[in-house]
Amino acid sequence: QVPLVESGGGLVQAGGSLRLSCAASGSIFDINAMGWYRQAPGKQREWVAVISTGDNTNYADSVKGRFIISRGNAENSVYLQMNSLKPEDTAVYYCTADARDLVTTLRGDFWGQGTQVTVSS
């Protein structure tokens, strides 16, 4: 079972907005920080934003002031509101969570399968 499932990606014009969602499946629990990474074609995966259980947030300089990360009330979901999108934001966006595996109870970093965001100029 995929531990995290992303949704909300798509094609948008430069200057537009998208909201990504990520929900934890039943295969993980005891979730601490959650965050987003992205990987553009031909580039390494890069960190975008993180939110703690206390709702402290941090952003990469490239998205600061344009993106907003938030968590759902149940603390097992995370969102990324992306505004003023630029063509250089085009990437596959991945959700990640610091959590425990339901079967092994081991703590680790879990990932979703990603959702494509394409920003046209």
Side-chain angles (χ1 to χ4, degrees):
Q1 189 175 11
V2 178
L4 296 162
V5 180
E6 303 98 336
S7 62
L11 174 64
V12 64
Q13 287 188 332
S17 299
L18 279 176
R19 186 174 188 252
L20 304 183
S21 301
C22 171
S25 71
S27 66
I28 60 174
F29 72 108
D30 192 17
I31 298 173
N32 287 338
M34 299 185 79
W36 292 91
Y37 281 72
R38 67 186 181 185
Q39 187 166 18
K43 295 188 177 180
Q44 290 188 334
R45 190 172 297 188
E46 66 170 350
W47 169 72
V48 174
V50 65
I51 184 167
S52 71
T53 51
D55 286 345
N56 292 316
T57 59
N58 204 4
Y59 299 90
D61 287 343
S62 58
V63 306
K64 199 172 294 183
R66 300 188 297 121
F67 290 11
I68 301 171
I69 189 171
S70 61
R71 295 184 75 147
N73 291 333
E75 297 283 332
N76 62 352
S77 57
V78 65
Y79 307 95
L80 188 67
Q81 177 66 42
M82 305 185 295
N83 301 318
S84 302
L85 283 162
K86 305 175 182 180
E88 51 264 44
D89 294 318
T90 295
V92 177
Y93 283 71
Y94 298 90
C95 173
T96 182
D98 170 10
R100 291 188 184 276
D101 182 272
L102 187 65
V103 174
T104 67
T105 73
L106 294 175
R107 180 166 293 280
D109 292 327
F110 295 85
W111 294 81
Q113 292 183 321
T115 184
Q116 176 70 46
V117 171
T118 302
V119 184
S120 63
S121 58

